Structures are given as structure tokens and as C-alpha cells.
């Protein structure tokens, strides 16, 4: 189950190589992501989350904007911390939604994921 962002970008290459070697690849991801998109190289199993694409992108942009803007260091650190907390809350909620999705969990168990 890949994390969005740089983790996914690195993992994507590994998944493509596994597929080329004949493996069936299944990616479990929330419907709202930054980089995880369907591909012919793997099967996507998606689940819903209680936030929108716009909300996730806004949180991501706020984190980076707060991290790189100029100004007083403590103010920048506070903004970066708040942005990271918002993103972390999205990821935790995403994990909770996956674990509460009985249909998807049943599929994963039956397929020996």
C-alpha cells in the first residue's frame, strides 16, 4: 500500500518492473491522491475518503508555502508544522477509511494480498 508523493514515485518504477516480469500488481489507494493514478501496468483498488482533491492539494500547497516563505524563523516553523499536521491528518484519515472498508478488506483477505 504505497504512500502518496515521493514514496509513490519511487515505488511506481518497481511496480512497472514487477509487471514486466509477469507479476500481477494490485495497488490499494484512496480515491483522492496527489500522484497515484490508474495504469495499464497494475490493478487499482480504490476506496473513498472524506476529503476532496481540492482540500488535499490545498493542504499540500500550504505546507510547502509555509516551509519556504521568507520571514521570521519561528513563524515559518509554526506554519510548516501546521501544514504537516494537516497533511498527516489526511493520511491518517485515509488509513482509517481503508481499514473500515469491509468490502475491500474482504477482497484483500480472499486474494491473500
Amino acid at each position: 500500500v504505497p504512500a502518496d508523493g515521493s514514496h509513490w514515485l519511487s515505488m511506481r518504477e518497481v511496480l512497472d518492473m514487477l509487471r514486466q516480469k509477469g507479476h500481477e500488481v494490485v495497488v490499494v489507494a484512496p480515491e483522492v491522491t496527489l500522484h497515484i493514478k490508474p495504469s495499464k501496468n497494475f490493478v487499482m483498488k480504490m476506496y473513498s475518503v472524506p476529503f476532496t482533491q481540492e482540500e488535499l492539494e490545498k493542504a499540500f500547497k500550504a505546507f510547502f508555502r509555509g516551509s519556504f516563505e521568507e520571514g521570521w524563523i519561528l513563524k515559518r516553523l509554526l506554519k510548516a508544522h501546521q501544514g504537516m499536521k494537516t497533511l498527516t491528518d489526511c493520511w491518517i484519515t485515509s488509513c482509517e477509511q481503508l481499514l473500515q472498508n469491509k468490502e475491500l478488506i474482504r477482497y484483500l483477505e480472499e486474494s491473500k494480498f
Side-chain angles (χ1 to χ4, degrees):
V1 180
D4 209 350
S6 61
H7 295 88
W8 168 250
L9 298 175
S10 299
M11 187 176 289
R12 174 94 192 241
E13 290 183 36
V14 173
L15 299 181
D16 290 343
M17 291 173 66
L18 286 170
R19 177 69 177 161
Q20 289 173 6
K21 292 184 179 206
H23 294 277
E24 178 185 4
V25 178
V26 177
V27 173
V28 177
E31 290 177 337
V32 176
T33 69
L34 294 172
H35 300 288
I36 303 172
K37 305 297 179 217
S39 167
K40 65 181 185 331
N41 291 331
F42 51 80
V43 174
M44 289 283 296
K45 293 293 182 181
M46 303 186 90
Y47 58 94
S48 61
V49 290
F51 50 86
T52 65
Q53 186 72 38
E54 293 77 28
E55 291 169 327
L56 180 62
E57 289 174 7
K58 182 179 175 184
F60 193 72
K61 288 176 184 175
F63 167 68
F64 276 103
R65 191 173 41 253
S67 299
F68 295 108
E69 69 183 25
E70 295 183 18
W72 191 45
I73 186 71
L74 290 177
K75 184 177 179 182
R76 290 186 357 225
L77 286 173
L78 180 61
K79 282 187 175 185
H81 178 267
Q82 289 169 335
M84 181 55 76
K85 182 177 180 339
T86 302
L87 281 176
T88 301
D89 290 345
C90 287
W91 292 326
I92 289 171
T93 299
S94 179
C95 289
E96 290 170 347
Q97 293 299 306
L98 167 60
L99 295 174
Q100 292 173 11
N101 186 320
K102 294 186 187 321
E103 182 180 328
L104 182 53
I105 294 298
R106 185 173 24 262
Y107 165 82
L108 296 174
E109 288 172 345
E110 290 173 357
S111 66
K112 305 202 184 318
F113 182 78

